[in-house]
Amino acid sequence: MNNTLLALAFGALLPCLALSQPAEAKDWSKIRIASEGAYAPWNGMDPSGKLIGFEIDLAQSLCKRMQADCEIVAQDWDGMIPALQQGKYDAIMAAMSITDERKAVMDFAGPYGTEPSAFSVLADSPLGQVVFASKRVNLSAPDATGEAALAELVKALKGKTIGVQTSTIQANFVDKYLPDVSVRTYDKLDSASIDLLAGRVDAILGDRSVIEALGASQGGKMVQFGPDFVRGVLGDGFGIGLRKADADLKAKFNDALAAATADGTVSKLSLQHFGYDVSVK
């Protein structure tokens, strides 16, 4: 083989040699995690501006198990996924539901928690007097009473104005099931609750624990309206948002989460922050 042929052959072999080398694993000794800080009891802030809540405590437990030094940083909800993709953060823990739409652009570890979505109205609203056929509707496979409850919801809310947080599963729910309503979107659900109290919207929709927390903070001026809704367009529970390329970090989080679930840590933190168990068994 002459030098020219030898050079060509070696050049053709180089890509194969490169492919045979193991990819260099990232050093995950330091991890930046984004949370919203405005969705108590999942995540919130104390008067000093420190992030607190179920997800903050869980993140700290997971990081300890991974032997990682984690920085948990507040990030506005609507910029969270773009910031992750741009490398500003390595993970998201912000009550982010695992949906097919999100899985098209990112990956998830978990889920680590789940709960239904629920509406809230003013305590003196006529909507609060509507009787529904079911207290809980599985949107993946609604039975006859679930279908009846959805039909009653559509009828009761026709022509009303609904407040939801932007870019959420609740916004997707309204788009799919409530074609005859007006929608107002907000950066935070507590902003929507202010408009509910002021009469600028007729109802708001969010995760049940957040709806309950907002109602409690207003001394009973807000009450839950209608059934709890789960599954379907509302996703498969809350997961840790990750970049698709970071499969090794996903494995680390899943291993840590499995251990935290097995030893009861997730359930314990659930009871501490919610009063009931939101863990996924």
Side-chain angles (χ1 to χ4, degrees):
M1 182 179 292
N2 62 38
N3 289 340
T4 300
L5 291 176
L6 183 62
L8 289 172
F10 185 71
L13 183 61
L14 282 176
C16 299
L17 291 173
L19 288 173
S20 67
Q21 299 300 313
E24 184 177 351
K26 291 184 179 180
D27 176 13
W28 294 116
S29 60
K30 294 184 178 181
I31 301 171
R32 284 174 59 84
I33 301 174
S35 194
E36 187 182 14
Y39 213 65
W42 291 93
N43 58 80
M45 285 189 180
D46 67 12
S48 71
K50 178 183 177 182
L51 283 165
I52 57 173
F54 168 77
E55 287 173 309
I56 309 307
D57 289 350
L58 178 59
Q60 291 169 347
S61 175
L62 298 180
C63 290
K64 183 176 180 180
R65 295 168 195 273
M66 295 187 294
Q67 297 182 329
D69 178 14
C70 290
E71 181 184 9
I72 308 174
V73 184
Q75 164 69 50
D76 289 342
W77 172 262
D78 56 0
M80 203 164 281
I81 294 176
L84 173 73
Q85 303 290 26
Q86 293 162 10
K88 188 175 181 180
Y89 308 109
D90 304 304
I92 295 171
M93 291 186 69
M96 182 170 284
S97 293
I98 301 171
T99 65
D100 290 339
E101 181 181 15
R102 288 178 179 142
K103 285 192 290 186
V105 298
M106 61 191 297
D107 207 347
F108 288 92
Y112 56 80
T114 185
E115 69 168 326
S117 292
F119 285 90
S120 181
V121 298
L122 293 178
D124 59 358
S125 170
L127 290 172
Q129 304 304 313
V130 179
V131 178
F132 289 86
S134 177
K135 293 183 178 180
R136 188 179 182 92
V137 178
N138 183 340
L139 297 171
S140 293
D143 56 16
T145 57
E147 293 282 7
L150 273 171
E152 189 61 41
L153 183 75
V154 172
K155 179 181 177 181
L157 293 178
K158 184 176 181 179
K160 304 297 185 183
T161 301
I162 310 300
V164 293
Q165 187 175 11
T166 187
S167 302
T168 59
I169 54 173
Q170 288 82 22
N172 294 341
F173 175 95
V174 173
D175 287 343
K176 181 171 183 177
Y177 291 104
L178 301 174
D180 299 319
V181 303
S182 297
V183 182
R184 287 192 179 185
T185 57
Y186 299 85
D187 59 339
K188 300 172 183 177
L189 198 63
D190 55 358
S191 299
S193 71
I194 292 171
D195 272 6
L196 176 63
L197 291 167
R200 288 186 284 268
V201 298
D202 299 293
I204 62 175
L205 176 63
D207 292 316
R208 190 182 72 183
S209 64
V210 181
I211 290 293
E212 290 176 345
L214 289 171
S217 70
Q218 295 298 330
K221 294 179 181 179
M222 299 162 49
V223 296
Q224 184 174 337
F225 158 70
D228 290 338
F229 294 95
V230 298
R231 313 290 290 183
V233 70
L234 296 175
D236 297 318
F238 299 149
I240 302 167
L242 303 161
R243 290 180 290 270
K244 285 180 175 288
D246 294 336
D248 51 347
L249 183 57
K250 175 181 177 178
K252 286 179 176 291
F253 269 115
N254 274 333
D255 288 345
L257 183 58
T261 301
D263 70 12
T265 297
V266 183
S267 294
K268 180 181 178 181
L269 291 175
S270 296
L271 294 173
Q272 175 185 332
H273 289 280
F274 297 90
Y276 54 90
D277 195 350
V278 302
S279 64
V280 178
K281 303 279 196 310

